[in-house]
Amino acid sequence: MADDSYKTIKQVAEGYYTEKRSRFISYAIPVRTVEEVKEQLEKYRKQYYDARHVCWAYMLGPERQTFRANDDGEPSSTAGKPILGQINSNELTDLLIVVVRYFGGIELGTSGLIVAYRTAAAEAIAAAEIEERTVDEDITVVFEYPYLNGIMRIVKEDNPAIISQKFEMDCEMTLRIRKGEAERLKNRLLKVETAYLKE
C-alpha cells in the first residue's frame, strides 16, 4: 500500500461467536479520535451493562501509531491483544473493535479466550465494508488576477479538490490533493508568474 493511503471501514459492523456457552458479540466501529473512542466505549458499556466483560482495542491515524488494547478484567493479554492483532493483520486504522462477553459458566482457559476474542474480532471485520482512503495535503496558492487562466489550466489537468477560492486583484485558492502528488502540483503552480504558496 502506498505511503499516502490507508485502509479503514465504512460503517459499524457486527460479529458473533460462541464457545462453551459463552457468547461473544463484537463490533467494528469507525473512529477518528481518542474522544470518539471514549464516547463509543461508554455507549457499548451502557448498552451491555449486564455483560461480564467489554474488551476492546483501537488503532488511529494513517501512520497507525496510536493504539491501545484493554482486557477489561480478563486474564492479561487474552482479550485486548488478540483484538488488536486482528486490526493489525488486516492493516486497518481509524477503527475501534469492542467485544462483549457473556459468561456461559464454563472457563475457557487462556488459549480458549485468545481464540474466542480473536475470532469474534475477525467476524466483525469480515462483516465490515473496507475502503481505502488517501492521505491528502492542502495547498494554498496566491497569484495576481491576470494569471488566473494559467492556474486554472493546471487545476484542470491535475484535478485537485478546490476547497476555497477568492478572485480579486490578488487571488487565492486552496487545493486538496493526494500527498504523493502534492509536490508535483506545487512545482507546477510555482511556474506561473507571480504565484507563491502560502504556508
Side-chain angles (χ1 to χ4, degrees), residues 1 10 14 22 25 53 63 110 121 139 143-144 146 148 171:
M1 211 166 36
K10 274 191 169 177
E14 199 175 324
S22 268
I25 306 159
H53 304 280
E63 294 83 24
T110 37
I139 299 166
F143 53 94
E144 288 173 13
L148 176 62
C171 302

Side-chain angles (χ1 to χ4, degrees), residues 3 10 22 46 56 94 96 109 142-143 149 157 161 175 178 182 185 191:
D3 299 345
K10 274 191 169 177
S22 268
K46 271 187 185 144
W56 49 270
D94 286 354
L96 164 67
V142 181
F143 53 94
N149 284 345
E157 287 165 9
L175 309 167
R178 189 172 175 152
L185 177 59
K191 284 189 177 130

Side-chain angles (χ1 to χ4, degrees), residues 21-166:
R21 296 210 300 268
S22 268
R23 288 185 300 133
F24 297 84
I25 306 159
S26 55
Y27 293 93
I29 306 143
V31 285
R32 287 287 180 107
T33 62
V34 175
E35 282 63 46
E36 274 184 70
V37 168
K38 287 176 181 162
E39 281 166 26
Q40 291 296 331
L41 286 172
E42 201 172 308
K43 180 180 130 184
Y44 284 97
R45 283 201 189 104
K46 271 187 185 144
Q47 191 178 336
Y48 292 102
Y49 66 90
D50 56 342
R52 172 77 67 100
H53 304 280
V54 178
C55 306
W56 49 270
Y58 68 78
M59 176 82 68
L60 297 175
E63 294 83 24
R64 306 175 71 238
Q65 305 273 312
T66 308
F67 55 88
R68 260 191 78 192
N70 188 298
D71 297 313
D72 192 38
E74 291 283 28
S76 179
S77 299
T78 59
K81 214 169 167 184
I83 297 170
L84 187 61
Q86 284 304 308
I87 297 175
N88 265 327
S89 63
N90 286 279
E91 296 180 351
L92 294 166
T93 190
D94 286 354
L95 173 65
L96 164 67
I97 293 184
V98 175
V99 180
V100 178
R101 180 188 182 192
Y102 282 97
F103 184 55
I106 302 164
E107 296 288 342
L108 299 183
T110 37
S111 58
L113 284 172
I114 290 168
V115 168
Y117 280 102
R118 187 171 60 217
T119 308
E123 288 293 321
I125 292 170
E129 193 180 340
I130 292 169
E131 67 176 355
E132 193 169 325
R133 291 193 189 150
T134 56
V135 180
D136 298 328
E137 192 175 318
D138 286 2
I139 299 166
T140 300
V141 60
V142 181
F143 53 94
E144 288 173 13
Y145 191 79
Y147 300 97
L148 176 62
N149 284 345
I151 295 284
M152 288 313 283
R153 191 168 57 246
I154 295 167
V155 168
K156 201 172 171 193
E157 287 165 9
D158 283 28
N159 203 23
I162 298 171
I163 304 304
S164 67
Q165 51 190 15
K166 70 170 202 275

